[in-house]
Amino acid sequence: MVFRDRIASPNEKKTEIHLIRGKSTEGEPTYTYLAIYTHRVRDLKLSLLQKTTDLEDYGVIVASGFGEPDEATQAYIRTAYLT
């Protein structure tokens, strides 16, 4: 799931919020909401194909956890970043 919301930053670069699903080193399902500049999305997608990616190299983690994001987390993302 990708939330495409253009957020104006002080230097006018465009930002998107991406929901990235994966697995921990123990095999547990994880999720991460990542704020990323649009010009970095392609690099992130290529990196994700390699299976091991340090998401902080590509953007700012705004929420993360195990399993699926609960309603409170989804509401936080919608309120803080998508409105």
Side-chain angles (χ1 to χ4, degrees):
M1 172 182 268
V2 176
F3 293 102
R4 294 204 169 158
D5 185 46
R6 309 285 187 212
I7 301 170
S9 65
N11 59 3
E12 295 301 311
K13 291 185 179 179
K14 302 296 182 191
T15 308
E16 298 177 357
I17 302 295
H18 286 251
L19 173 56
I20 301 166
R21 291 183 172 89
K23 290 191 178 184
S24 69
T25 54
E26 293 82 29
E28 292 182 77
T30 63
Y31 69 89
T32 302
Y33 284 98
L34 185 71
I36 182 171
Y37 287 123
T38 55
H39 72 276
R40 298 290 322 265
V41 172
R42 183 177 180 272
D43 294 337
L44 172 64
K45 288 181 179 181
L46 291 172
S47 178
L48 289 171
L49 293 173
Q50 297 175 1
K51 302 260 182 187
T52 304
T53 301
D54 186 357
L55 296 177
E56 291 179 321
D57 288 345
Y58 294 91
V60 176
I61 296 172
V62 294
S64 65
F66 293 99
E68 290 293 318
D70 59 20
E71 282 297 321
T73 302
Q74 292 176 35
Y76 166 73
I77 295 297
R78 281 191 301 272
T79 303
Y81 298 99
L82 303 177
T83 56

